[in-house]
Amino acid sequence: MWGSYSHPRRPLSVLLATLTIGSILVCGAKSVNVPGNMSFVKETVDNLLEGYDIRLRPDFGGAPVAVGMSIDVASIDMVSEVNMDYTLTMYFQQYWRDKRLAYVGIPLNLTLDNRVADQLWVPDTYFLNDKKSFVHGVTVKNRMIRLHPDGTVLYGLRITTTAACMMDLRRYPLDEQNCTLEIESCAYPRLSLSFKLKRNIGYFILQTYMPSILITILSWVSFWINYDASAARVALGITTVLTMTTINTHLRETLPKIPYVKAIDMYLMGCFVMVFLALLEYAFVNYIFFGRGPQMQKKLAEKAERANNERAAKYDSARAEPHGHGNVLLTTLEIHNEVAGNEITTSVADIRNSQSMVQLDSAASAAHIQYRKQSGGVGPRSASRHSLERTAQLKRSRLRRRSSQLKIKIPDLTDVNAIDRWSRIIFPSVFSLFNLVYWLYYV
């Protein structure tokens, strides 16, 4: 069942414009479609083309032909960074005066078939930076020839051209490009049409920047995973590194091989470094916990055992010596205290070992002092013994103070949990600073 169709209501101005244009077209059609007029127009066109030589320009041998042109850009279809070009669709119109095509008796402009253009002289205009161009041919070749009574010719084409554009991609994708269309002829100098193109950053934020930021943040999850879960932390680190490598590879395929660094290269490289350092952080933690830590503890235990054995041997030999060698033993105690003080500056583990040495030395000195008291030493030797004992006590107290200060100032690197805790703060802070500097510089 068919329903009735009614025209939608349109504004009065649109209706008036339609009626006006329609009346003009009807009047024009009447003036031309009258049988007498049609034959006169046909005869006029035949007379214009008869004897016309397309090999000679208008006013040959006289003044140069003034050719005007106008370009209406329909669309910029594509901008290619790989090929360094852009594709443009436009309506390209040229107009000039050819006195050989002037006519009288018809007060109308004659719009002729596009095939008439092959029988007329047209300017030798070309695009200097053109790579590939074509004139649209659907449904017929998109050309227009219009003649005016005074001999002015209007020649229009619908063209799609791919023109070269040397781009500076140092700030890509936060860049602006200035592309030109160079128009030239053998008869007149070059003309340049400039297009200022600004890239839309939204696409790159969704396709490149946001995935890179999320992958970098994902690599920090390993800092909250227990250090003995090697499989989980290694798998997470390698996955994030490979993902960043894939993003870099895909980006390089869409860009030309240029010798300088682009803005997006700087950002992706920064993200890759952060992800790679997160993987190295676990390698460091693993080495501290399973490699360097046990080795250092074993070495320190062996060193402490050797020192205890040596001191025990010296203590036994000193008990068998005469009383006169007591001062020599105390001097040896001072030397050992000085050596222990120097060892404190090397590492925290040596501090603990040195403290045990000091305690052993103090025990040895107390035993010697007791031994000499039992032997009945008095007089100057007793005074000297008391002064040396006070000196040793002062050095031992100074040694304890230095060791306590070092315990506060130097963190215990063997504490792998402390490394992860510091990484949770350092990595996000550095990445945030990197983003701040990057966006302030390029935007």
Side-chain angles (χ1 to χ4, degrees):
M1 181 176 180
W2 297 93
S4 61
Y5 175 79
S6 61
H7 292 281
R9 299 181 62 183
R10 291 179 292 180
L12 181 59
S13 58
V14 176
L15 291 174
L16 292 175
T18 305
L19 292 174
T20 304
I21 295 173
S23 62
I24 293 174
L25 293 176
V26 171
C27 293
K30 285 183 179 180
S31 62
V32 176
N33 289 334
V34 174
N37 291 342
M38 286 294 293
S39 60
F40 182 72
V41 170
K42 179 180 180 299
E43 183 180 354
T44 302
V45 173
D46 291 339
N47 293 334
L48 292 175
L49 298 179
E50 184 179 358
Y52 186 91
D53 192 350
I54 65 174
R55 296 173 297 178
L56 302 178
R57 69 173 178 84
D59 297 330
F60 182 78
V65 179
V67 179
M69 63 181 62
S70 64
I71 297 177
D72 296 327
V73 177
S75 64
I76 296 179
D77 304 322
M78 183 180 64
V79 178
S80 174
E81 294 83 10
V82 177
N83 301 320
M84 290 285 184
D85 57 26
Y86 68 101
T87 302
L88 176 70
T89 299
M90 60 182 173
Y91 297 95
F92 183 63
Q93 296 179 348
Q94 302 176 89
Y95 49 92
W96 64 96
R97 187 177 181 185
D98 190 347
K99 295 180 180 179
R100 295 173 295 179
L101 298 176
Y103 57 89
V104 293
I106 304 176
L108 298 175
N109 301 330
L110 298 179
T111 302
L112 306 179
D113 188 84
N114 70 89
R115 289 170 289 185
V116 179
D118 297 330
Q119 305 177 39
L120 301 179
W121 177 90
V122 294
D124 54 351
T125 306
Y126 59 89
F127 301 122
L128 187 63
N129 59 337
D130 169 65
K131 289 185 176 181
K132 180 178 64 176
S133 298
F134 64 92
V135 178
H136 291 261
V138 179
T139 57
V140 294
K141 204 165 187 178
N142 294 179
R143 297 188 300 179
M144 180 194 68
I145 286 289
R146 180 176 295 167
L147 301 180
H148 294 258
D150 61 348
T152 301
V153 182
L154 177 62
Y155 180 48
L157 298 169
R158 182 169 175 255
I159 302 174
T160 294
T161 179
T162 300
C165 177
M166 299 307 297
M167 304 179 187
D168 185 3
L169 300 176
R170 286 182 174 86
R171 302 179 68 89
Y172 177 89
L174 306 171
D175 57 334
E176 294 182 359
Q177 301 298 335
N178 188 24
C179 296
T180 60
L181 183 64
E182 306 290 338
I183 305 172
E184 194 170 279
S185 173
C186 299
Y188 56 83
R190 183 186 308 177
L191 301 177
S192 180
L193 180 64
S194 180
F195 300 96
K196 189 174 183 180
L197 307 176
K198 185 175 182 180
R199 204 179 305 275
N200 188 2
I201 190 60
Y203 170 83
F204 296 94
I205 289 178
L206 295 177
Q207 296 294 325
T208 304
Y209 285 102
M210 285 303 298
S212 302
I213 293 174
L214 294 178
I215 292 299
T216 305
I217 295 175
L218 181 62
S219 66
W220 303 338
V221 175
S222 62
F223 302 150
W224 279 267
I225 301 177
N226 195 7
Y227 57 85
D228 57 355
S230 302
R233 296 188 68 163
V234 171
L236 180 60
I238 293 178
T239 301
T240 53
V241 169
L242 293 179
T243 304
M244 288 303 306
T245 304
T246 303
I247 295 176
N248 278 316
T249 304
H250 174 71
L251 181 66
R252 285 195 297 270
E253 292 175 353
T254 60
L255 292 174
K257 296 178 176 62
I258 50 181
Y260 49 83
V261 180
K262 301 175 290 296
I264 198 167
D265 292 336
M266 296 291 295
Y267 193 84
L268 292 180
M269 184 57 64
C271 294
F272 182 82
V273 169
M274 295 297 296
V275 169
F276 187 71
L277 289 179
L279 180 61
L280 289 184
E281 187 269 349
Y282 177 65
F284 179 70
V285 168
N286 188 74
Y287 173 71
I288 291 295
F289 183 71
F290 294 103
R292 178 173 173 269
Q295 292 178 3
M296 288 185 60
Q297 291 178 2
K298 183 178 179 181
K299 290 180 181 179
L300 291 176
E302 293 176 353
K303 186 176 180 180
E305 185 178 359
R306 286 196 301 269
N308 291 333
N309 293 335
E310 291 176 359
R311 296 181 188 281
K314 290 179 181 180
Y315 175 70
D316 293 338
S317 61
R319 292 184 62 182
E321 290 179 356
H323 298 170
H325 297 284
N327 292 334
V328 177
L329 179 61
L330 291 176
T331 305
T332 304
L333 176 62
E334 293 175 5
I335 294 173
H336 283 301
N337 286 333
E338 293 294 335
V339 172
N342 293 330
E343 290 177 351
I344 289 177
T345 60
T346 59
S347 65
V348 178
D350 292 341
I351 293 173
R352 298 170 182 172
N353 189 22
S354 301
Q355 289 177 353
S356 62
M357 293 180 184
V358 172
Q359 293 175 1
L360 183 60
D361 288 342
S362 61
S365 61
H368 277 282
I369 292 170
Q370 184 178 2
Y371 171 75
R372 289 165 61 183
K373 283 183 178 181
Q374 290 177 357
S375 61
V378 292
R381 293 183 179 179
S382 178
S384 176
R385 182 176 67 247
H386 287 298
S387 64
L388 290 175
E389 182 179 358
R390 285 194 301 271
T391 303
Q393 290 177 355
L394 290 175
K395 289 184 177 182
R396 285 196 299 272
S397 62
R398 191 183 305 115
L399 192 62
R400 292 191 184 95
R401 286 195 301 271
R402 291 177 62 186
S403 63
S404 62
Q405 292 174 359
L406 288 173
K407 284 181 181 179
I408 295 173
K409 294 180 180 179
I410 302 176
D412 190 359
L413 294 181
T414 59
D415 187 3
V416 292
N417 291 323
I419 299 176
D420 282 340
R421 285 194 298 269
W422 279 103
S423 299
R424 297 169 193 171
I425 300 174
I426 294 175
F427 275 77
S429 301
V430 173
F431 189 65
S432 300
L433 179 62
F434 168 73
N435 275 275
L436 180 63
V437 173
Y438 178 87
W439 292 107
L440 287 178
Y441 179 77
Y442 285 106
V443 177

